[in-house]
Amino acid sequence: MPRELRPRKPPTSYAVFAGYGNEDHGNVAGPSKVHLMDEEDNSGSEFEPDKGPRGSKKVPSSNEDEDVEDPESEVEETPTKRSRKTTRTSRARKPRAPTSSTTDPSSSLMFASSKTRKEQSRRLPPKVQQVTRVPSVSMPPLLAPRAAKMYALPSPSAHHRHRAIPVFLRKDMVERLDEPPSLFKEPRIVPTNSMTADHSLIDRVSKAWGFNVGAGPVWQIMEDRSCYKESIGSGAGSEKESSRRPRVYQNVSVRPGWEVLSNEDALKYLPTDSVMTEDGQFKPPPQVNCYVGPHDRQTRVAFNMFDSVSTSEYFEDGTGYIFNAGSPTWGIDWCPIYQADRPARQFRHYLAVAPFPTRSHAPAIGVKVPHPSPACVQIWTLKPRTRGENAMDEDRPRCDPAEIRCEMVLCLDSGPAQEIKWCPLPTHDQWEGARPRNPRKIGILAGTFEDGSLSIYVAPDPVDVRPPGDNTAHPVFVKLPEPVLRIEHEGTSCWSLDWANSEVLVVGLTNGCLAVYNVKHALDSGEALHVFPTHFIAVHQSAIRALAWIRVPPTDGSGVPNLSEDPTVIASGGYDGVECLTDIREPHGNVVNRTRGTAAYSAFATGPIMIDHDNTVKSYSVSPSMLGRGHVLMEPDGPVWSVSVSDYHPQLAVGSADGSCTTTNTLRSTRRGGTVVRPMQLTVQMLDKLTSIQSQPFLVHKIFQLDYSRKTGDFRMLDHFLPQETQERSTNTKGKAQEEKEDAEASGRSTSTGVWPPDIGVTRVAWNNGNGLGGAPLLASATASGLCRVDWVMGRWIKDKTPYVSVPKMRKEVDVASDESVEEA
C-alpha cells in the first residue's frame, strides 16, 4: 500500500489567541493567510494613525495619501533596525476605515494598498477620494516590504530650473558697452556696477539675460566675468580691461633660428592629398565644392586651400566668413590682444587653425609619431577689406567690408596638433613706437601634438616676418625651431590641455592622469631642461579627452577668496566614460557623471558644462548650496565634439557630429513666462499686463548646418534656420522615447538618424575671449571637411524691450527707488 504522509499543521498564530482568527483557514496546510489587525484602540506605536470621530482609526489609503498636502509627503519614513518579521507586521497593520458607522469593524478585514516608490514620485496634485469598505475575503499573503531610502530626491518640474549662483563675487566696477559693437571700430565703453556686486544685482542681471532670445549675446549687459590672479584687484582704473587682462611675458622673444620658407620647401608641412604623384611629389589637397546661399537658390563654390568667401555675397544680412584650411581641423583658438594696441592694428582679430596632414589622417590615441614629423599651424586674420587687392570687388556692390585671410603658416616638426590654446592673457610685444626686437611676437601658443609632447611656441608677428615686396594675398611660411618649452612623459602621450592663467596649465595624458605645470620660470628664463609637474594625479582609466579649469580663486579658512593664488579645481572628461571634478589638493577625482564627453567652465552658469546621456549638454553647479545639481541646456541630434563658453556672456556654442553648430542661452529664465517686477503695489492695469504675457520659450539657435552628398561628393552649408524650442523634460518622462519620436514625426520636427558622414562633423567651436567686449560676438568653428567659419552673432531682447526699463536702472547706476513700473519682456 502507498505510504501515507503525516498531514502538515499550520503554526499557531498569535492573532488566533487574540480573538481575530479566521476559521476558514484553521485546517489548511501551507503558509498562513491570516490577516493581522490592530489588537486594541491604542497600540502604542508612533506610526499609529489618528482616531476617527467614533473611535475608529481613520487611516488614509495610499490613494488618500496623494490627496493630503503634506510638505513631507514625498519623504518616506525609514524603518528602524528590526527583524523582517516585525517590519512585515507593522506594514500589515494599517486598516481601511469603514464608510459607515453602523458597520462592525471586527467583521471585516482592512488593508492599505501599497504603491511603489516610482509611482509615489509621480503623484498628481491632491484630489479628494472616498474610502470604500473591503469585505472579509481570503487575500494573498503580504509581500515583503522594500527597504526605504534615507532621502528623497525632488522630482524635476518642466516649468522650473535652478538659477545659477555665482561662486566668486566681484565687488569692483566693470565695463559695459554704451552702443552696439562693430567690427574694426573703437567700442564706446562706460563703467558700471558688477553683476555680482550685491544679491539684488545678481537677480536683476540674471533675469535680464533670460530675456535674450537671439543666437548671440545682447550687447547692452555684456561684462567681463574672468578671474585671473594677474589682474589688478582694486584701486583707480581697476574696471578697465587693461587692468583685468594685463600684458605678460614681455621678456620672452621669438627663439633664434626661424626662417622663411619658399612655397616648394613648405609643401611637406602643408595639408596634402592622400595620394602622391608618380614621381613621389606631394599633391595639393583636393578642392572642396560647397553650395552656399539661400536654400532655394544656392551657389556652388569651389574652395581651394587658403580660399575664403563672405556670406554677405549670398545673403543680404550675412555676417559670416567661410574659409578652407585644406584638411580636417581639430584645433582652433583666438589670439588675445591688449586693449591699448588694438587701434594700431585696425582692430584685427587673429585666429590659430591646426589642420591634419591629409583628409584620411586618423590619429591613434597613445601612439607617438616619430620626431620630427612635419605639420603646420595656420594664422588667419579677420581684417578690413582692402580695395584693389581683388579685382572682383568692383563687380560686387554688396561686398562685405571685412575679409578673412591666412597671413602666416607656422611650419613645425612636432606632428599634427590635437589641441591648441593661446595663453589667455596678452603676450604680444608693443606695436606702437620703436620696435624693441625683430621680429616681434604676436603671442605664446601651447598645444598637444602627435609626437606625444606638450609644446609651447612663441609665434612671430606676421607683419615683421613677411619679406619686402611679398604678395600679401598669399601667406608667408615661417619655419620655427624647437619650441621654447617641450614636455614629454614616458609611456604616455599628452592629449588635452587648458590654461588656468598665464603661469599654470594642466595636461591630460592618454593613461588617464592629470599633470599640472607652472611654466612661468621656464618661459622667462628659457631653461626648459628640468621642468617637473607640481601635481600628478591619476583620475581616469583611459585617455583624457577634455579639460577645463574652474577659474575661481581658492578661499582661506574664514571663507575670504585669495585673489593671488591659482585655482585648484579641474573638470575633466575621459574616454573611460567618466566625467570628474578634481581638487589638486586631494589625490583623487570625484565622479560627476558617467558618460563620455567634453568639458568647459562657464562663469555665468557657475560650473562645468559637460555631456550627459543621449548627447545631452548639461550644466553642473559648483556652488556649495547647489553642488552637483544641474539642468539640461540642449539636446543636439548627434554626438557632441566640442563646447565653448565666453567670459563676456552666457551664450553656449556646441559643435556636433551631425554637422550643426548651435547656440543657446545658459541663463534662460527659471520659469516659463515671467516679467521683471520691482517691489511695489500693483494696480489692476499692471495685473492685466502681467496676465497677458505669453510664456517664454527655451530656444536653440542653429548657426549653420553642413551636409554632404555621397553621390556627387559636394557639400552644402545651410544658414538662417528658425530657432527651435526645446522642452525641459523631467526624469519621469524620459522613458517615453517612442511616444516623443512619434510626436516629432507627426509635427514635422527633425529626428536624429545616427548616421552622418564623418566629414561634416563640427569638430571645434571657440568664442572670442581675448579681444574685449567689441569682439565678444565672434564665434569660430571648424569642421572635419576642412571648411572653417567665423560668424558675428548678436542677440536681442524678447519683444525688443529692455528689462527694467533701461540698463542704467537695471545696473543701479541711477536711483530707481521712485520708479514704479513693470517692464515685460
Side-chain angles (χ1 to χ4, degrees):
M1 61 181 297
R3 181 180 179 183
E4 295 182 0
L5 299 178
R6 184 175 57 184
R8 296 181 57 188
K9 295 182 179 181
T12 306
S13 174
Y14 291 102
V16 176
F17 290 106
Y20 298 110
N22 192 342
E23 299 177 356
D24 296 340
H25 303 281
N27 298 323
V28 179
S32 175
K33 298 183 180 180
V34 177
H35 305 282
L36 304 182
M37 299 178 61
D38 288 339
E39 301 175 2
E40 297 179 359
D41 291 344
N42 186 6
S43 62
S45 173
E46 60 179 346
F47 301 101
E48 180 71 17
D50 297 335
K51 295 183 179 180
R54 292 183 176 268
S56 62
K57 303 177 181 63
K58 181 68 175 181
V59 182
S61 65
S62 61
N63 293 333
E64 288 179 281
D65 292 339
E66 300 174 9
D67 306 336
V68 180
E69 294 190 17
D70 187 359
E72 300 178 358
S73 59
E74 293 186 9
V75 182
E76 299 184 4
E77 297 289 346
T78 304
T80 58
K81 295 183 178 180
R82 300 178 181 177
S83 62
R84 184 178 301 272
K85 181 177 180 181
T86 306
T87 305
R88 179 179 301 179
T89 305
S90 62
R91 292 291 183 92
R93 291 170 59 183
K94 291 186 178 181
R96 288 183 181 268
T99 57
S100 175
S101 60
T102 60
T103 307
D104 184 8
S106 62
S107 62
S108 63
L109 297 177
M110 293 167 283
F111 301 92
S113 61
S114 61
K115 291 276 188 177
T116 62
R117 184 182 307 277
K118 185 175 181 180
E119 292 172 344
Q120 291 178 2
S121 63
R122 299 179 179 178
R123 290 176 179 174
L124 300 175
K127 296 180 181 179
V128 179
Q129 299 181 2
Q130 295 183 353
V131 181
T132 59
R133 175 183 172 85
V134 180
S136 176
V137 293
S138 177
M139 299 294 292
L142 297 178
L143 299 178
R146 296 178 60 184
K149 296 182 179 179
M150 295 295 294
Y151 61 89
L153 296 178
S155 179
S157 172
H159 301 283
H160 179 268
R161 303 168 73 250
H162 297 288
R163 188 179 300 278
I165 301 177
V167 181
F168 172 64
L169 303 179
R170 180 189 293 273
K171 305 297 183 181
D172 301 322
M173 300 284 288
V174 294
E175 292 179 330
R176 68 171 179 87
L177 294 172
D178 197 34
E179 62 181 9
S182 179
L183 282 173
F184 320 123
K185 291 184 180 180
E186 180 79 30
R188 184 178 176 182
I189 296 177
V190 294
T192 184
N193 295 317
S194 173
M195 173 182 174
T196 57
D198 56 57
H199 292 286
S200 61
L201 276 175
I202 294 176
D203 295 337
R204 285 189 172 201
V205 182
S206 298
K207 290 179 182 178
W209 273 116
F211 294 105
N212 175 26
V213 294
V218 286
W219 61 268
Q220 291 92 334
I221 56 176
M222 285 195 301
E223 67 174 274
D224 189 0
R225 292 284 303 277
S226 63
C227 180
Y228 297 105
K229 72 175 185 179
E230 296 87 350
S231 62
I232 301 175
S234 60
S238 60
E239 76 278 359
K240 295 183 179 180
E241 183 186 353
S242 58
S243 299
R244 296 191 311 272
R245 297 173 180 262
R247 204 195 316 255
V248 295
Y249 293 121
Q250 292 303 289
N251 297 327
V252 179
S253 60
V254 180
R255 298 198 65 175
W258 64 273
E259 59 176 331
V260 177
L261 301 180
S262 62
N263 295 341
E264 292 76 13
D265 295 336
L267 285 178
K268 65 177 182 178
Y269 296 95
L270 300 178
T272 60
D273 198 354
S274 300
V275 295
M276 303 180 67
T277 60
E278 296 180 356
D279 54 354
Q281 299 296 327
F282 293 100
K283 295 177 60 177
Q287 68 179 14
V288 178
N289 299 321
C290 183
Y291 286 88
V292 183
H295 181 270
D296 54 346
R297 53 182 187 279
Q298 286 194 315
T299 303
R300 188 172 183 266
V301 181
F303 289 92
N304 293 313
M305 187 169 57
F306 303 135
D307 285 350
S308 62
V309 69
S310 174
T311 58
S312 61
E313 301 179 12
Y314 309 97
F315 296 96
E316 294 183 0
D317 57 345
T319 57
Y321 308 90
I322 308 171
F323 60 93
N324 183 18
S327 62
T329 303
W330 287 84
I332 191 168
D333 196 26
W334 295 94
C335 179
I337 304 297
Y338 189 63
Q339 183 182 21
D341 291 336
R342 294 167 192 163
R345 285 301 179 94
Q346 300 177 331
F347 297 94
R348 298 184 180 187
H349 301 273
Y350 295 90
L351 183 68
V353 179
F356 279 172
T358 62
R359 191 178 299 273
S360 60
H361 181 77
I365 299 177
V367 178
K368 300 180 180 181
V369 298
H371 186 82
S373 180
C376 72
V377 174
Q378 305 170 5
I379 307 298
W380 290 75
T381 305
L382 181 63
K383 61 180 182 178
R385 182 180 294 273
T386 304
R387 289 287 179 176
E389 289 187 2
N390 194 339
M392 299 178 62
D393 292 345
E394 301 298 335
D395 300 335
R396 294 180 290 186
R398 293 192 291 110
C399 183
D400 194 276
E403 64 177 351
I404 186 168
R405 290 190 178 182
C406 184
E407 292 275 351
M408 178 176 61
V409 177
L410 301 177
C411 301
L412 313 175
D413 290 328
S414 300
Q418 299 295 336
E419 187 171 8
I420 56 173
K421 286 188 178 181
W422 295 95
C423 177
L425 297 180
T427 57
H428 58 81
D429 295 328
Q430 294 184 3
W431 285 338
E432 291 183 344
R435 295 184 179 181
R437 58 179 65 93
N438 190 15
R440 295 170 293 184
K441 68 176 183 296
I442 193 177
I444 295 179
L445 181 65
T448 54
F449 297 88
E450 284 195 23
D451 63 351
S453 68
L454 166 69
S455 299
I456 300 179
Y457 290 91
V458 180
D461 193 332
V463 177
D464 295 344
V465 297
R466 184 177 293 275
D470 189 58
N471 187 3
T472 58
H474 298 88
V476 56
F477 307 103
V478 179
K479 173 68 171 62
L480 293 182
E482 289 298 316
V484 64
L485 178 61
R486 178 186 175 90
I487 297 175
E488 290 183 288
H489 289 265
E490 185 178 359
T492 185
S493 301
C494 299
W495 193 258
S496 56
L497 81 149
D498 189 35
W499 293 84
N501 43 50
S502 63
E503 301 178 2
V504 178
L505 56 80
V506 61
V507 184
L509 306 178
T510 55
N511 62 357
C513 296
L514 295 176
V516 181
Y517 289 90
N518 192 319
V519 298
K520 178 177 175 54
H521 177 73
L523 294 179
D524 287 336
S525 62
E527 298 177 1
L529 296 179
H530 304 285
V531 179
F532 297 97
T534 59
H535 300 80
F536 193 86
I537 307 173
V539 178
H540 296 268
Q541 297 181 356
S542 62
I544 298 178
R545 178 183 177 186
L547 292 170
W549 281 97
I550 308 298
R551 292 193 179 98
V552 177
T555 58
D556 55 15
S558 59
V560 178
N562 193 344
L563 302 180
S564 61
E565 294 294 331
D566 301 315
T568 60
V569 181
I570 304 171
S572 59
Y575 284 99
D576 58 348
V578 174
E579 296 170 340
C580 296
L581 284 177
T582 305
D583 194 327
I584 60 177
R585 297 170 294 186
E586 298 181 358
H588 62 84
N590 302 280
V591 178
V592 177
N593 196 8
R594 295 191 176 274
T595 182
R596 291 185 180 182
T598 182
Y601 170 70
S602 173
F604 288 86
T606 66
I609 296 178
M610 298 180 173
I611 310 302
D612 203 352
H613 58 85
D614 296 336
N615 309 322
T616 300
V617 182
K618 192 172 183 180
S619 173
Y620 295 90
S621 176
V622 294
S623 176
S625 60
M626 300 288 293
L627 184 62
R629 291 183 179 268
H631 54 264
V632 174
L633 299 176
M634 60 186 301
E635 297 183 12
D637 291 336
V640 176
W641 278 120
S642 175
V643 296
S644 178
V645 295
S646 176
D647 293 335
Y648 300 96
H649 55 79
Q651 294 298 116
L652 171 70
V654 177
S656 52
D658 64 332
S660 63
C661 176
T662 53
T663 63
T664 190
N665 186 5
T666 60
L667 286 186
R668 54 196 182 189
S669 297
T670 56
R671 288 185 180 273
R672 296 183 183 273
T675 56
V676 180
V677 185
R678 297 179 184 83
M680 59 183 174
Q681 297 292 331
L682 295 178
T683 62
V684 177
Q685 292 79 5
M686 293 181 181
L687 290 175
D688 293 340
K689 182 183 293 185
L690 288 175
T691 56
S692 63
I693 297 175
Q694 298 178 355
S695 62
Q696 181 179 346
F698 295 164
L699 299 179
V700 174
H701 302 267
K702 185 176 293 187
I703 305 301
F704 69 88
Q705 174 84 47
L706 188 63
D707 199 4
Y708 178 74
S709 174
R710 292 181 174 89
K711 181 180 295 185
T712 61
D714 295 339
F715 292 88
R716 180 180 64 171
M717 187 171 290
L718 301 176
D719 294 75
H720 290 63
F721 287 89
L722 293 176
Q724 182 180 359
E725 181 181 2
T726 60
Q727 299 292 335
E728 190 93 357
R729 298 185 306 171
S730 63
T731 56
N732 298 332
T733 61
K734 291 182 179 179
K736 303 179 181 179
Q738 186 64 26
E739 297 179 5
E740 294 179 357
K741 182 178 180 180
E742 295 176 358
D743 295 341
E745 295 176 353
S747 59
R749 300 196 307 267
S750 62
T751 57
S752 176
T753 61
V755 179
W756 307 278
D759 294 339
I760 68 171
V762 180
T763 57
R764 203 67 79 168
V765 289
W767 287 105
N768 193 344
N769 278 330
N771 292 273
L773 297 172
L778 286 174
L779 174 63
S781 54
T783 68
S785 64
L787 294 178
C788 303
R789 179 161 170 157
V790 172
D791 289 274
W792 177 266
V793 189
M794 294 293 294
R796 68 176 183 88
W797 300 116
I798 186 171
K799 299 183 181 179
D800 296 326
K801 294 184 179 180
T802 305
Y804 298 98
V805 180
S806 64
V807 176
K809 293 182 179 180
M810 180 197 310
R811 292 277 192 175
K812 292 186 178 182
E813 299 175 9
V814 296
D815 185 14
V816 295
S818 60
D819 183 68
E820 295 184 357
S821 61
V822 178
E823 181 65 21
E824 66 180 88

